[in-house]
Amino acid sequence: MPAVSMTVNGKAVRAEVDSRTLLVQFLRETLRLTGTHVGCDTSQCGACVVHVDGVAVKSCAMLAVQAEGAEVLTIEGVATGEALHPMQEAFRQNHGLQCGYCTPGMIMTALDIVRRKGHELDDQTIREELEGNLCRCTGYHNIVKSIAAGARAMASGDPALKAAE
Amino acid sequence: MYEFTYHRASGLRQATNLLGKHEEAKLIAGGQSLLPMMKFRLASPSDLVDLNKIEGLNGIELTSRALVIGALARHAEVHVSPEVQQGIPALAALAGLIGDPAVRHRGTLGGSLANNDPTADYPAAALALGATIVTTKRKIPADEFFAGLFETVLEADEIITKVSFPLPKKAAYQKFRNPASRYAIVGVFVAKRPSEVRVAVTGAGASGAFRVPEFEAALQKRFSPKALDGLSVPAEGLASDIHASAEYRAHLVGVMARRAVAAANG
Amino acid sequence: MSVTGIGAPVRRKEDFRFITGAGRYTADIGLPGQVHLHFLRSTHAHARITRIQAGHASRMPGVLAILTGADIAADKLGPLVCGWMIHSTDGSPMKMAPHPTLPIDTVRYVGEPVVAVIAERPDQARDAAEAVVIDYEELPAVVDPATAQRDGAPQIHEIAPRNAIFHWQLGDAAAVDAAFKQAASVTSLDIVNNRLVPNAIEPRAAIAEYDPGTESYTLWNTSQNPHVARLVLSAFVGVAPEHRLRVVAPDVGGGFGSKIFIYAEEVVTLVAARRVHRPVRWIADRSEAFVADAHGRDHVTKAEMALDRDGKILGLRVKTIANLGAYMSTFSSSIPTYLYATLLSGQYAIPAIHCAVDAVYTNTVPVDAYRGAGRPEATYVVERLMEVSARRLGIDPAELRRRNFITSFPHQTPVIMSYDCGNYAASLDKALALADYAGFGARKRESEARGKLRGIGLSAYIEACGIAPSQAVGSLGAGVGLWESAEVRVNPTGSVEVLTGSHSHGQGHETTFAQLVSGRLGIPIESISIVHGDTDKVQFGMGTYGSRSGAVGMSAIVKALDKVEAKAKKVAAHLLEAAETDIVFENGKFTVAGTDKSATFGEVALNAYLAHKFVGADLEPGLKEGAFYDPVNFTFPAGCHVCEVEIDPETGRVTVARFTAVDDFGVVINPMIVEGQVHGGIAQGIGQALMEQVVYDEGGQLVTGSYNDYVMPRAADFPLLAVDTTVTPCPGNPLGIKGCGEAGAIAAPAAVMNAVTDALGTEDVPMPANQLTVWTVLQRAARQQAAE
Ligand SMILES: Cc1cc2nc3c(=O)[nH]c(=O)nc-3n(C[C@H](O)[C@H](O)[C@H](O)COP(=O)(O)OP(=O)(O)OC[C@H]3O[C@@H](n4cnc5c(N)ncnc54)[C@H](O)[C@@H]3O)c2cc1C
Ligand code: FES
Ligand code: FES
């Protein structure tokens, strides 16, 4: 079995894996980081989105061995210590989640949207950017609100206040 | 997935050798088409040869006559590249319509062309722009590259290294999405080139992307949506499924072509 | 209203774990030594199994066991059952065919599990499953419910000639016939309510563990009602006695009905755990979920409405064929009957209603409750008829509804239900104002100037929630009462645990239930935890569906809180040296009336456990009370939704331009959560109207078997939703709650289709009105015009 090493949420990890192990399986089963979810088998739902070398990818459409040497960020690594990330706080303040299953992927996607599109996000932009993230609970309404608020809060650096609008 | 052996190629020669050595070996680039197929056990390579660590395959270069894009350029890179936006803005826009942001961060130009999914976007651009696909063995004009559903003329140990798109005078792409898969039900790429007009259609053909000579001739005379009035493609031979009948696709080819011409004219 | 009490938009307590990735869903549970189960499923819609060869597969790497129907039969496990008895008009009981966990001789739908392979690793189980050879002898299949009823159609079960499960009816046929005779006009419609796949984003999963020492099982699974699952698995399937089977439903990623039912996969996973003496895990793939989860809807209906000259409804006649699939799922029989026909009066005073329902078997995935369950189908019938009638009579659709509204309560409908309260004009008026109904004409002209078609449609729905008064449903055939239980445990330090039989899978019970307790006991919300979803912790419960957690589940908590307060007063009386009758409890304080002597809730809680100080008092130590609450009636949420669509006539693409919802849910515990429920329901309703649809080919293959073909609504498919409420408190329960979980899914399809048909100028538009459908309708119209 090939060995793979990478950095996950700032920690160096190394393991031997069956080459057919997907990155998502590696995260969930080998590292027991179960915040990254699996919602489909066609790489369409986005529940598995993580960041690899700073960009959002679907961890169900990448082999673990392909992440050799990469920096991986999962939902577990988003908050710093006890403090929630402004985007996480925004989801809470704006009721951007119900069952929570799509939420990690939504938040990881949201952070990537902000990276690419900045802090002032209009509704339509957010909705189009969520092309690859399915939610069955919220009707997306409050997810869109959460992302807009979270993006603004990230600019101000004041999580609690800004996220609440 | 079935079991396979994974190889991380460090150079094109090594990759070529690995392909030659293992009969059932396959290249993997972005993996956005191959891995989903392997998960469904629809593809069963004995070996995977990973191109991602090979240097120099993802460059984007704009010359006075052509835009040259490396095979490993991600859809997201093509979408935001200043060179592409300057050289062929329609191509940058097309790349931004492929799948979703996460898919675009992984998926590559070379992978998309090699895969030749009949509903993929890039094949329409390659045909309409008269692109040349450069491989480890030769240069293949787009018109000769695609060979039916999920088939190309690539040999088993041949690797796409880059694609050269001659600069058009005007171009635009219009995509009508499949509401489920988000690939094209019909996508039409229109390019007004110095010497000719080309119209290429993806999504509609039962055996892959195709050009529409009638539309091209009409637009050659007058590059305006009006020039297409009264023209249509026959429904016979077009794909038909629950999302679109052949008739509907034929109709959409006309609609999208007109809209593309209008968009190209700005 | 306090900051955390009833009516406050309290941020959810459960969110922290979900936004940090610390939620614990079934698939997240990793047990030491766990192994993996993979199902080999039928590739045929209908076939005889002539031979299963698993010898080679069983010797493949990692394989621990291979189970077939014969193994399940050898274990003497009973069939899966449908728990609601329906009798046909002639008095005969419904034809419930045996539903084996794994079939022995015949498969009846594509995707039916046939063989289970258990192996060390998931891929090994899959590899081995591929090596199992099943020989089938194909039989003719039928997927269309109308065809299934015909003479000569392939018969799916021996006990059901012409695939008929029941011929059922409700209402007075003679009265309806008489009403139609007097009618000034009759509106009739042929309606297909499209089959849907619930598609909770968390696929179903199960992990089973067997402890040979105590001969007991633990099952973690994605259930909306773990206690009912345990009851059925124990009493009917016979996996284990109830006291030796623990069912845990941890965090569950959405349900929408599909996680209510007791399925084969859980049974087989339990059996496998005992056989291999290792924890066994099964996680559905998404494509597997398309055939493993019960589908929803699938009605074919002919509906007629009789009206008088003034547009008053005289009668309603409905005939429905309900496709229940290849087997009867857990609650399947109740959906097209008592959850459907009983709502056909809508918000209107209709003197006579008759509904006949034929339920049939087909070679398709079983059909059961999906968000709304029967009520969306009823609303679709009534609200399409209203809109079409209004258009035919040249009366404004809002006005026609207004003329027929029920205005005095209680109101007994001709179809069982007795509406307790409501104000339908109020929600209609508010919705019309919010939607700027009056400004539609201008918007339509603006659309037309851009070459687009625009339409508007209403849906004034009613639903019956708070399921359900036990005796009422019992008399209608339900196999269990539908009460709820609660237990309130007050700890010596004053913190409180509430054990509830409801189950949260997105609804936010950990917050709303805590709001109730916080307001009532005057303690901070942080000091309260809501415990649910574990049969070892909560004694019994009926679970969450049919918008019952508020009206029924919370009412049970109120009852338990009443008892806690009564007991606490005794303790306080002793502590404050006063008579129990003099103790007043307010704002978290026990006071002796007319004095300034008082004790906080925390002090009283502590003293309840200090029995050594109970000298001279007749007091039992402790502070813990339980209650069962059985509702006296259904609740009747109602409201009005308004949809506006714009259509691109060149492509047939429909865009929802505006959507407005005004709902009356009675008293609202947490408006933020309620709005969220409405948004989600609307999205599913719009999904049904414009996108979602299960397609089978004639041979019974599922064409829409993955996200590549089944259209899931995405963020860009919706406009900003305008959501508001009106309030008439429900008189039937202590909190005045009606329930909000299903409104959107119930109301939206009719509103959207009324808007689409308005835009297109024809009523003959099937659901879903996707781009191909709309384009086809436009083509037909163009051809007709050309011919004229
Ligand atoms: C959810 C989702 C949505 C998508 N939507 C769209 C869409 O709307 N439109 C669209 O066009 N595509 C879509 N795609 C496909 C996506 O664009 C893929 O990235 C692309 O088709 C394949 O590129 P890849 O780099 O991922 O190739 P891979 O998956 O790695 O490989 C595909 C094939 O190409 C071969 N190959 C790869 N690179 C080379 C090379 N350099 N030389 C020779 N052969 C090579 C491989 O051996 C393999 O056979 C979608 C994918 C997903 C998962
Ligand atoms: S699990 Fe990766 S996209 Fe659905
Ligand atoms: S919150 Fe349940 S799927 Fe999004």
Side-chain angles (χ1 to χ4, degrees), chain A residues 19-20 56 58 60 65 131, chain B residues 1 4 8 100 105 182:
Chain A
S19 53
R20 52 182 162 172
K58 290 179 162 170
C60 71
V65 287
E131 167 72 25
Chain B
M1 263 187 239
F4 57 84
R8 192 175 294 122
D100 58 62
H105 282 141
R182 320 302 276 178

Side-chain angles (χ1 to χ4, degrees), chain C residues 350-633:
Chain C
I350 305 180
I353 299 176
H354 182 259
C355 178
V357 178
D358 290 350
V360 298
Y361 288 116
T362 61
N363 294 109
T364 61
V365 169
V367 176
D368 208 323
Y370 166 57
R371 200 171 196 169
R375 291 151 295 175
E377 295 91 317
T379 299
Y380 191 60
V381 168
V382 176
E383 289 306 292
R384 282 288 292 133
L385 281 171
M386 285 309 277
E387 200 87 7
V388 175
S389 300
R391 288 173 193 160
R392 288 182 55 246
L393 297 172
I395 303 174
D396 180 90
E399 169 56 24
L400 184 71
R401 287 181 170 86
R402 213 186 297 273
R403 277 185 208 174
N404 285 286
F405 278 156
I406 293 163
T407 49
S408 75
F409 296 89
H411 174 89
Q412 177 64 51
T413 72
V415 278
I416 298 180
M417 292 298 180
S418 170
Y419 299 168
D420 52 3
C421 70
N423 185 346
Y424 308 135
S427 46
L428 175 75
D429 289 341
K430 197 164 180 180
L432 294 180
L434 209 58
D436 185 23
Y437 192 64
F440 172 71
R443 293 192 293 278
K444 186 177 171 74
R445 284 190 293 281
E446 191 275 330
S447 291
E448 279 166 357
R450 284 183 288 110
K452 302 287 195 285
L453 309 171
R454 199 174 183 102
I456 193 164
L458 310 184
S459 173
Y461 74 97
I462 191 156
E463 50 171 329
C465 290
I467 293 174
S470 296
Q471 284 167 30
V473 294
S475 73
L476 303 178
V480 283
L482 293 171
W483 40 262
E484 195 47 88
S485 82
E487 186 177 319
V488 175
R489 297 180 181 170
V490 182
N491 299 317
T493 53
S495 65
V496 171
E497 281 140 32
V498 177
L499 284 68
T500 168
S502 298
H503 185 274
S504 182
H505 30 279
Q507 295 89 343
H509 294 168
E510 290 170 42
T511 306
T512 47
F513 287 16
Q515 281 180 258
L516 164 65
V517 177
S518 159
R520 177 72 184 269
L521 300 182
I523 58 173
I525 214 160
E526 294 73 32
S527 307
I528 303 158
S529 33
I530 306 298
V531 179
H532 66 91
D534 184 343
T535 60
D536 262 14
K537 293 182 180 163
V538 178
Q539 188 241 335
F540 206 92
M542 301 308 301
T544 288
Y545 41 85
S547 301
R548 64 190 306 276
S549 294
V552 188
M554 289 181 88
S555 296
I557 298 175
V558 170
K559 257 184 100 174
L561 285 169
D562 289 344
K563 295 186 190 174
V564 164
E565 185 179 318
K567 171 73 187 289
K569 276 183 175 165
K570 282 196 188 16
V571 178
H574 175 68
L575 183 68
L576 299 171
E577 296 172 331
E580 197 186 318
T581 47
D582 289 341
I583 302 291
V584 184
F585 181 56
E586 248 175 23
N587 302 326
K589 250 193 185 160
F590 295 86
T591 316
V592 182
T595 75
D596 59 358
K597 280 210 289 187
S598 71
T600 64
F601 180 77
E603 286 166 336
V604 171
L606 178 63
N607 276 278
Y609 291 88
L610 303 182
H612 57 288
K613 293 185 181 172
F614 289 179
V615 190
D618 181 20
L619 259 183
E620 188 182 322
L623 192 51
K624 177 189 100 167
E625 299 290 345
F628 286 75
Y629 173 80
D630 197 356
V632 295
N633 191 357

Side-chain angles (χ1 to χ4, degrees), chain A residues 37-40 43-48 58 60:
Chain A
H37 297 153
V38 176
C40 74
S43 299
Q44 284 167 301
C45 77
C48 66
K58 290 179 162 170
C60 71

Side-chain angles (χ1 to χ4, degrees), chain C residues 222-294:
Chain C
T222 48
S223 174
Q224 296 178 224
N225 46 349
H227 291 88
V228 176
R230 181 176 70 155
L231 177 65
V232 172
L233 287 169
S234 169
F236 295 95
V237 184
V239 173
E242 224 176 337
H243 62 291
R244 284 198 259 119
L245 173 60
R246 175 185 178 193
V247 179
V248 186
D251 287 331
V252 173
F256 316 114
S258 66
K259 293 173 181 170
I260 296 174
F261 321 121
I262 288 74
Y263 290 99
E265 288 85 357
E266 282 83 346
V267 176
V268 177
T269 307
L270 282 161
V271 170
R274 175 168 47 73
R275 291 208 169 206
V276 304
H277 276 218
R278 300 266 294 274
V280 175
R281 173 164 104 164
W282 167 73
I283 302 174
D285 287 336
R286 173 58 53 192
S287 318
E288 190 176 13
F290 273 89
V291 290
D293 300 358

Side-chain angles (χ1 to χ4, degrees), chain C residues 30-267:
Chain C
L31 297 180
Q34 77 186 6
V35 296
H36 304 269
L37 189 153
H38 179 79
F39 286 101
L40 184 58
R41 293 174 180 274
S42 171
T43 49
H44 295 284
H46 198 189
R48 197 146 286 133
I49 302 171
T50 52
R51 192 166 59 154
I52 300 177
Q53 287 170 276
H56 170 61
S58 64
R59 290 185 295 276
M60 285 174 64
V63 175
L64 297 164
I66 296 183
L67 300 176
T68 64
D71 297 302
I72 304 292
D75 280 0
K76 300 212 166 28
L77 295 182
L80 301 169
V81 292
C82 173
W84 195 307
M85 174 52 74
I86 295 292
H87 286 89
S88 283
T89 313
D90 67 5
S92 61
M94 66 188 188
K95 304 282 191 297
M96 179 162 54
H99 183 182
T101 305
L102 296 177
I104 296 182
D105 50 16
T106 309
V107 290
R108 294 183 172 86
Y109 64 95
V110 169
E112 184 171 356
V114 183
V115 175
V117 180
I118 301 101
E120 296 281 349
R121 296 210 317 264
D123 277 316
Q124 291 173 327
R126 206 168 279 233
D127 289 344
E130 252 172 53
V132 173
V133 181
I134 308 175
D135 293 334
Y136 291 107
E137 191 185 297
E138 250 188 279
L139 299 169
V142 60
V143 296
D144 174 64
T147 314
Q149 290 189 311
R150 291 197 194 123
D151 282 334
Q155 186 170 333
I156 299 169
H157 294 285
E158 217 173 271
I159 71 157
R162 299 167 93 204
N163 300 306
I165 300 171
F166 54 74
H167 303 282
W168 174 89
Q169 57 175 327
L170 183 66
D172 185 341
V176 169
D177 287 346
F180 273 76
K181 284 212 183 85
Q182 293 167 16
S185 76
V186 171
T187 306
S188 42
L189 275 180
D190 289 304
I191 288 173
V192 174
N193 204 289
N194 40 324
R195 179 188 273 242
L196 306 172
V197 177
N199 266 308
I201 301 297
E202 178 204 28
R204 277 174 48 229
I207 303 182
E209 191 176 32
Y210 178 69
D211 177 358
T214 58
E215 293 179 43
S216 59
Y217 296 82
T218 305
L219 173 71
W220 289 265
N221 76 333
T222 48
S223 174
Q224 296 178 224
N225 46 349
H227 291 88
V228 176
R230 181 176 70 155
L231 177 65
V232 172
L233 287 169
S234 169
F236 295 95
V237 184
V239 173
E242 224 176 337
H243 62 291
R244 284 198 259 119
L245 173 60
R246 175 185 178 193
V247 179
V248 186
D251 287 331
V252 173
F256 316 114
S258 66
K259 293 173 181 170
I260 296 174
F261 321 121
I262 288 74
Y263 290 99
E265 288 85 357
E266 282 83 346
V267 176

Side-chain angles (χ1 to χ4, degrees), chain B residues 1-2 39-41 176-182 185 242-245 247-248 251-252 255-256 259, chain C residues 121 123 126-127 130 287 648 650-653 695 703-704 707-712 714 771-772 775:
Chain B
M1 263 187 239
Y2 295 105
K39 283 204 276 183
F40 275 102
R41 300 192 161 208
F176 195 72
R177 277 186 177 140
N178 178 312
S181 75
R182 320 302 276 178
I185 277 185
I242 57 163
H243 300 291
S245 59
E247 293 71 31
Y248 184 44
H251 166 78
L252 287 172
V255 175
M256 292 300 129
R259 290 185 182 178
Chain C
R121 296 210 317 264
D123 277 316
R126 206 168 279 233
D127 289 344
E130 252 172 53
S287 318
D648 176 354
E650 274 193 323
T651 62
R653 223 180 103 79
V695 179
V703 180
T704 49
Y707 284 162
N708 279 323
D709 285 302
Y710 188 89
V711 183
M712 285 291 281
R714 287 173 167 77
Q771 45 210 24
L772 174 60
W775 180 76

